[in-house]
Amino acid sequence: MAEMTRHHLITALTLCLLPLTACGPEGPQQTSEQTTAPATATPSPTKLTVGEGTFPDPDTVDRSDVEATAETAALMLHSWDTATDRTQTAAAIRTKPLMSEEWADHQVEPERNGNQAAWLEPAEHQAYSAPSLVPAVGDVSRDVAADKAIRAYDVTWRWTSRNGEDIDATGRRHLTLYLEKHDKQWEVVGHQFRDLDPAAVPAQ
């Protein structure tokens, strides 16, 4: 009787071990490899470096110099990357370190890109802008007081594609910056712009 019971126990243990062996290490490892492989094979667009490192860095600006602060802010406001930016306001948000706290709070992205039509061709090439500027003609730029200044620029930009193809699209704006000096540092307290005819962009 004891021998029969032992035989039944061994048989029962053997049957219980069979499904465990079938679900051994090879099963989960293969499943893990199958789920992780696609994620590493296709890089995410969010991994792209904004502007491929060509955009100005606000942390390197000499904030005691009104010209350096204004010029860097003007360039940053027109530094867009169609591969990572949802709207053109993304550039203004990156410029917030050079703004007063109050003006920085005004930089909020809208639901839609107001410049979407102009971004269509650059976006096809995951392009980013390459802005340049010259002082605007006229007497808009001036030092209002020891701690207040206005600077105006004609800003132009072209697009650099990530796939090496040429892009015909360009842009041009008249930009006015209002700056104030606090604690020996200049900051942008307001800005406004007016789009100009891209066809009038001077040859560079």
Side-chain angles (χ1 to χ4, degrees):
M1 181 74 173
E3 188 174 325
M4 182 178 295
T5 302
R6 189 188 314 163
H7 175 73
H8 287 162
L9 181 60
I10 292 173
T11 304
L13 288 173
T14 303
L15 291 173
C16 288
L17 286 172
L18 283 175
L20 293 176
T21 305
C23 296
E26 290 185 2
Q29 285 178 0
Q30 289 175 352
T31 303
S32 176
E33 289 174 3
Q34 290 173 355
T35 56
T36 57
T40 56
T42 306
S44 169
T46 58
K47 299 293 185 182
L48 293 172
T49 302
V50 177
E52 295 299 311
T54 64
F55 292 170
D57 182 353
D59 295 332
T60 63
V61 181
D62 180 3
R63 301 288 296 278
S64 66
D65 186 338
V66 64
E67 306 300 341
T69 304
E71 289 177 8
T72 302
L75 291 172
M76 290 188 67
L77 286 168
H78 298 86
S79 295
W80 303 294
D81 192 329
T82 61
T84 59
D85 294 344
R86 188 173 61 85
T87 71
Q88 59 183 338
T89 309
I93 291 174
R94 284 192 290 270
T95 313
K96 288 169 69 170
L98 300 182
M99 298 179 181
S100 66
E101 184 176 347
E102 182 179 357
W103 189 239
D105 288 342
H106 282 78
Q107 313 311 313
V108 179
E109 281 199 283
E111 290 297 323
R112 297 184 62 184
N113 188 3
N115 216 23
Q116 187 172 7
W119 278 27
L120 288 178
E121 183 184 1
E124 291 177 0
H125 306 278
Q126 291 191 320
Y128 51 92
S129 64
S132 59
L133 56 83
V134 294
V137 177
D139 56 359
V140 177
S141 294
R142 61 185 185 277
D143 295 331
V144 180
D147 59 350
K148 293 179 175 59
I150 301 174
R151 293 294 182 268
Y153 303 99
D154 280 339
V155 184
T156 61
W157 62 90
R158 301 183 185 279
W159 295 95
T160 302
S161 65
R162 281 187 167 87
N163 59 14
E165 296 183 13
D166 293 334
I167 301 175
D168 294 330
T170 59
R172 185 185 179 200
R173 273 182 179 169
H174 179 86
L175 172 72
T176 304
L177 298 172
Y178 303 92
L179 303 103
E180 292 183 2
K181 192 175 187 179
H182 297 280
D183 298 326
K184 299 181 179 181
Q185 288 195 328
W186 287 96
E187 58 188 20
V188 178
V189 297
H191 72 270
Q192 59 185 24
F193 59 82
R194 176 170 51 91
D195 288 327
L196 302 173
D197 183 4
V201 175
Q204 296 181 1

